[in-house]
Amino acid sequence: MTEHSKRDFLIGSGGLMAALAAASRAQAADGTKEVRAVQGPVFPMEFEPTGDAMPWIKRVFHLYSGPDGLTRAEQLTVIEPKGRKIATLLRRNAERVTVGASQAGAGFGFHVANNPTFLIPIFGSMIIGLHDGTEYELRHGDLAFAEDCTGKGHISRSGPEGSMMVSVQLPKDGCPKVGSSDLSKVWSE
């Protein structure tokens, strides 16, 4: 493998994205939404893996605007990529990537996602609150996809130990006016 193709692989998949790794949504027989790995770039491996387990996302939450302008949240089913040496969860062009931290309890009142946004906790936790008082606590190993670009939005604040997060904003034209985008097209271009 040439230095150029290695660099392209590392930039395209990224250390973070390799750890997270491109998934698609599928409809299971029972109608639940699933997040699973899809075929990413294939490169010859210079180092063989040492075991069967690989880190993978534990929970995926999806935030979207309902027809009444209120944000809804659903937890998607995560399918681990068993038997694979490398897996990809997300392979997209991003408009902006932000890595930041906040003190315990710091956050924002009701706001919408200005762009479809992936929220990835690195340390601590982030609490997402909805209009009805429901809260979801995102921790290391979780991922949220916020596309509630209209309506009342959601609250977000750091958990009791603070938070360090990565935010990956996709192009604004991917924001649906109401409801959810086609999730099968979210994870890969």
Side-chain angles (χ1 to χ4, degrees):
M1 181 183 276
T2 68
E3 279 303 309
H4 181 68
S5 62
K6 284 183 196 175
R7 185 176 62 249
D8 289 348
F9 172 71
L10 291 173
I11 290 169
S13 296
L16 172 65
M17 296 309 144
L20 294 175
S24 65
R25 175 186 143 291
Q27 284 294 80
D30 63 356
T32 60
K33 296 175 182 174
E34 297 177 344
V35 176
R36 62 176 72 230
V38 295
Q39 182 64 44
V42 178
F43 293 97
M45 296 185 80
E46 294 165 323
F47 304 100
E48 287 297 316
T50 58
D52 293 333
M54 113 172 42
W56 196 247
I57 292 297
K58 309 261 184 285
R59 300 181 306 165
V60 175
F61 294 96
H62 174 225
L63 304 172
Y64 61 95
S65 300
D68 56 1
L70 300 176
T71 294
R72 308 284 195 272
E74 61 183 343
Q75 185 173 342
L76 306 178
T77 302
V78 176
I79 308 297
E80 291 186 41
K82 294 183 179 182
R84 296 176 84 171
K85 296 177 183 180
I86 293 178
T88 305
L89 177 64
L90 175 68
R91 188 165 176 83
R92 293 284 309 262
N93 287 325
E95 190 165 296
R96 177 183 303 149
V97 176
T98 304
V99 179
S102 56
Q103 295 179 354
F108 303 98
F110 281 101
H111 63 283
V112 296
N114 291 319
N115 293 46
T117 304
F118 287 97
L119 302 168
I120 307 155
I122 300 175
F123 302 112
S125 65
M126 176 63 69
I127 297 169
I128 304 295
L130 303 181
H131 65 281
D132 64 0
T134 303
E135 292 185 338
Y136 298 89
E137 186 172 13
L138 303 175
R139 300 193 147 282
H140 178 76
D142 293 338
L143 176 119
F145 177 57
E147 59 174 354
D148 57 336
C149 302
T150 61
K152 186 172 183 177
H154 60 275
I155 294 171
S156 56
R157 71 183 190 309
S158 291
E161 62 282 318
S163 172
M164 182 162 209
M165 303 275 294
V166 174
S167 168
V168 180
Q169 290 183 316
L170 301 180
K172 190 171 186 77
D173 61 4
C175 255
K177 301 244 185 284
V178 172
S180 173
S181 60
D182 179 353
L183 291 181
S184 67
K185 296 178 181 171
V186 167
W187 306 95
S188 182
E189 292 180 303

